[in-house]
Amino acid sequence: MSILIKNGRVVDPANQIDKVADVLVENGKIAKVAVNLKDQAETVIDASGKIVAPGLVDMHVHLREPGREDKETVCSGTAAAAKGGITTVLAMPNTTPAMDSPEHLVLLQGIIKRDARVKVLACGAITKSRLGEELTDIAALKNNGAVALSDDGASVDNDALMLEAFRQAKAAGLLTICHCEDKKLSGKGVINLGFNSTRLGLRGISKESEYARVKRDIMLAQEVGARVHIAHVSCRESVETIAQAKQQGVQVTCETAPHYFALTEDEIVDYDTNMKINPPLRTRQDVEAIKRGLKEGVIDAIASDHAPHTENEKDIEFERAEFGKIGLESDLVISIMELVEKNILDWPGLIKVMALNPARILGVDQGTLSPGKSADLIIVDPIKEFVLEKSKILSKSKNSPFIGRKVKGRVEYTLYEGKIVYQS
Ligand code: DOR
Ligand code: ZN
């Protein structure tokens, strides 16, 4: 099997490449990247005017399997990922059952082997059933394939338990991913606390509930010299806290999600539950801080926090609806629109935060087009305009706040391990 991709703009920040060149894929691997390759190949793709980049690495995805196959499955979620140009996902552990034991990880791995269209990495839980009460057997999770730990959807409230988790994660060589939320502060809130929560008559979630927990988790990780990754950063104060910690040499990384730079709380005008996300959409000032954080490199990665929910769980009163939105199929194009088109990041900068950095944070071999690496790559038409339509969504759930948006920048091909897994 060989594919020759001709004359695309190859963007590979790991190798400081940003130039028109050809890419030869052979036997599932990147064989060569060079100008004017003369090699013969079974398939030749003309990529003139297109971007050729490493497949994206999305380090925060809720695939819902096992347990909530009505929302999403490994099969449907990875098909959606391929369409969105994502070739590696980290599956978050808030499944039913949670990924809190070797047995559950083995179960998930069987499903992945059978159904996954792209690479699926597993994240183990920090505590049993994610209840924040008793630690999992962290070393055993690592030995059974977990590449990181998280109780995502919840934060571990008990300081002593979290400190011990960092200690054991460090000993096992695992990254801890923190969902930062102090429930004593966020309570029963459903949107950002402020003018809009008052206007809409909805309970608010303060920014303190996020950044106070960011501060605590950084402090505890620092205490034992463990690595810590802050998930879905949504507000200015969290960005500032992380910037300071980085300056002090703490081993902290973080991610944001496209909705935190593409939407503000002002857009929740008609109680659209697809805008109900945790942490919540914040203010214009927070959006500016997130963009600045991406530009200045304080924010290392963009992840979707793809959180599929059924219509039954979303098409109800705002306060009762589930938190979360889907993102696998729209995140690249939303990021192109908000960051590249608005000159916040250039193409290499975008690929860095969407592919290279998350791969490095997770310690996996993806995110580059270096010869010898798995041929996971995308071909994107950066000027193709289209409308995000509900009927085209491959994910089992359709809870996207971006339906109806006119966008620019379409994934034309996604290759995973040298095979075309998506073609527009
Ligand atoms: O909005 C969210 N949805 N935030 C989370 O932290 C969890 C996620 C989910 O699993 O639905
Ligand atoms: Zn979360």
Side-chain angles (χ1 to χ4, degrees), residues 60 62 92 151-154 178-180 231-232 278-279 305:
H60 195 138
H62 298 278
M92 297 317 273
D151 267 3
D152 186 56
C178 295
H179 167 114
C180 290
H232 42 54
N278 188 23
D305 194 3

Side-chain angles (χ1 to χ4, degrees), residues 30-276:
I30 304 285
K32 291 180 196 172
V33 179
V35 178
N36 219 351
L37 285 175
K38 295 278 181 264
D39 300 71
Q40 296 293 315
E42 285 148 78
T43 307
V44 178
I45 299 174
D46 176 18
S48 309
K50 314 279 163 68
I51 305 282
V52 179
L56 308 179
V57 178
D58 186 341
M59 63 182 299
H60 195 138
V61 176
H62 298 278
L63 289 177
R64 305 295 191 212
E65 197 175 5
R68 288 305 305 267
E69 293 82 357
D70 53 333
K71 294 177 194 258
E72 196 76 282
T73 60
V74 168
C75 182
S76 62
T78 54
K83 182 175 164 212
I86 297 158
T87 51
T88 300
V89 302
L90 179 66
M92 297 317 273
N94 59 338
T95 44
T96 317
M99 289 301 122
D100 58 0
S101 71
E103 291 77 14
H104 296 160
L105 281 170
V106 168
L107 170 70
L108 175 61
Q109 252 114 35
I111 300 167
I112 292 168
K113 202 159 175 216
R114 190 187 66 203
D115 290 341
R117 315 287 173 88
V118 299
K119 193 173 191 70
V120 179
L121 302 167
C123 183
I126 301 172
T127 65
K128 291 190 181 158
S129 302
R130 300 172 41 258
L131 291 172
E133 290 165 2
E134 200 186 336
L135 291 185
T136 54
D137 185 342
I138 289 173
L141 296 186
K142 157 100 180 184
N143 292 336
N144 283 275
V147 302
L149 293 172
S150 181
D151 267 3
D152 186 56
S155 195
V156 178
D157 289 329
N158 183 323
D159 300 344
L161 198 70
M162 195 62 207
L163 185 67
E164 185 56 25
F166 278 126
R167 194 175 280 129
Q168 291 193 20
K170 187 189 176 190
L174 277 181
L175 174 73
T176 305
I177 300 176
C178 295
H179 167 114
C180 290
E181 177 182 4
D182 185 336
K183 268 278 173 199
K184 292 192 291 302
L185 293 169
S186 60
K188 292 202 165 110
V190 288
I191 64 167
N192 186 44
L193 177 71
F195 176 74
N196 280 286
S197 59
T198 307
R199 180 171 63 90
L200 296 168
L202 294 170
R203 279 176 280 201
I205 301 175
S206 67
K207 295 206 258 173
E208 288 83 349
S209 65
E210 177 178 320
Y211 72 76
R213 190 49 60 92
V214 171
K215 284 186 182 163
R216 186 207 67 167
D217 284 341
I218 287 175
M219 189 188 77
L220 294 179
Q222 188 178 18
E223 183 79 22
V224 294
R227 292 171 63 213
V228 55
H229 178 82
I230 309 296
H232 42 54
V233 169
S234 76
C235 68
R236 177 174 63 83
E237 291 83 350
S238 295
V239 180
E240 287 170 1
T241 302
I242 292 160
Q244 274 170 17
K246 284 188 167 188
Q247 268 167 15
Q248 290 162 13
V250 182
Q251 298 179 77
V252 56
T253 53
C254 71
E255 79 201 20
T256 191
H259 38 275
Y260 299 121
F261 54 79
L263 298 169
T264 71
E265 54 166 3
D266 299 334
E267 271 144 306
I268 315 174
V269 275
D270 52 2
Y271 298 87
D272 179 357
T273 56
N274 291 334
M275 305 247 184
K276 180 178 173 182

